[in-house]
């Protein structure tokens, strides 16, 4: 029962993944991006305009809710491929996975399972508020992101 409610909440939250200003969403046309294939959903991230956007990156995390043990590290097997829309030059991401989970093989003293989002290998992409970040993921998976900012100080290598 707990797993079903938590899973439903995560699906609801992941389906609402349109970030940034509402006015920004209306300004950016995404009609040139392909429609999601059967079994997939299209997620769109709208970024806020920042000064010096070259100093920022966006890290994408794709995950799946699974019941896993507490003592091992787990990861989702899959491939996140960057593709380009023919004739437009705009990029988007396609995540393909059969949902397999791998992890370390430590023996757990209590075989108890917890519900946890298990992530695939994250991918960084450049920050560009002029274009949305469009990602296609299998239904039931989640998309999250983190913004990285470069430090101001350069370090000299001797």
């Amino acid at each position: 029962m707990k797993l079903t409610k938590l899973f439903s909440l995560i699906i609801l939250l992941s389906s609402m993944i349109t970030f940034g200003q509402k006015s920004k969403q209306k300004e950016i046309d995404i009609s040139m991006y392909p429609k999601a294939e059967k079994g997939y959903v299209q997620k769109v991230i709208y970024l806020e305009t920042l000064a010096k956007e070259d100093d920022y990156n966006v890290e994408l995390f794709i995950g799946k809710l699974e019941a896993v043990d507490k003592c091992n590290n787990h990861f989702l097997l899959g491939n996140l491929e960057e593709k380009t829309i023919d004739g437009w030059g705009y990029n988007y991401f396609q995540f393909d996975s059969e949902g397999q989970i791998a992890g370390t093989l430590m023996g757990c003293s209590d075989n108890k399972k917890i519900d946890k989002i298990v992530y695939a290998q994250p991918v960084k992409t450049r920050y560009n508020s002029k274009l949305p970040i469009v990602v296609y993921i299998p239904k039931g998976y989640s998309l999250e992101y983190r913004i990285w900012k470069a430090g101001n100080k350069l370090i000299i290598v001797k």
Side-chain angles (χ1 to χ4, degrees):
M1 186 71 169
K2 281 184 180 179
L3 177 63
T4 307
K5 286 183 180 180
L6 183 60
F7 188 72
S8 298
L9 178 60
I10 288 174
I11 298 301
L12 175 64
L13 291 175
S14 68
S15 68
M16 296 167 53
I17 229 168
T18 51
F19 299 96
Q21 303 164 348
K22 289 184 181 180
S23 61
K24 187 75 158 164
Q25 294 174 6
K26 292 178 184 174
E27 294 173 21
I28 300 175
D29 179 20
I30 62 168
S31 64
M32 71 287 298
Y33 289 91
K35 300 295 180 211
E37 296 174 8
K38 185 176 182 180
Y40 285 78
V41 293
Q42 180 189 59
K43 302 290 183 176
V44 182
I45 301 171
Y46 297 95
L47 301 170
E48 295 181 32
T49 302
L50 300 174
K52 296 185 179 182
E53 289 188 357
D54 289 339
D55 289 347
Y56 294 85
N57 279 318
V58 179
E59 187 174 23
L60 303 174
F61 294 87
I62 297 170
K64 180 181 177 190
L65 185 66
E66 286 289 326
V68 294
D69 60 60
K70 292 192 266 185
C71 68
N72 284 291
N73 293 319
H74 301 88
F75 53 93
L76 176 63
L77 298 176
N79 181 43
L80 184 63
E81 183 180 356
E82 188 170 7
K83 298 182 177 186
T84 303
I85 303 172
D86 291 333
W88 289 90
Y90 298 159
N91 294 339
Y92 64 93
F93 294 92
Q94 172 83 34
F95 182 73
D96 295 310
S97 174
E98 294 179 9
Q100 296 171 318
I101 305 293
T104 56
L105 299 173
M106 296 185 329
C108 301
S109 60
D110 68 352
N111 286 337
K112 286 187 179 179
K113 302 276 184 182
I114 59 169
D115 294 332
K116 177 180 172 183
I117 297 179
V118 178
Y119 297 101
Q121 180 68 37
V123 171
K124 285 185 184 168
T125 187
R126 67 184 283 251
Y127 193 107
N128 181 2
S129 63
K130 292 178 178 58
L131 293 173
I133 299 173
V134 179
V135 184
Y136 298 90
I137 60 175
K139 287 182 181 176
Y141 288 59
S142 65
L143 173 65
E144 299 173 50
Y145 71 96
R146 173 170 44 197
I147 306 296
W148 287 86
K149 183 182 185 309
N152 294 333
K153 185 177 179 181
L154 293 176
I155 301 170
I156 299 172
V157 179
K158 296 180 182 181

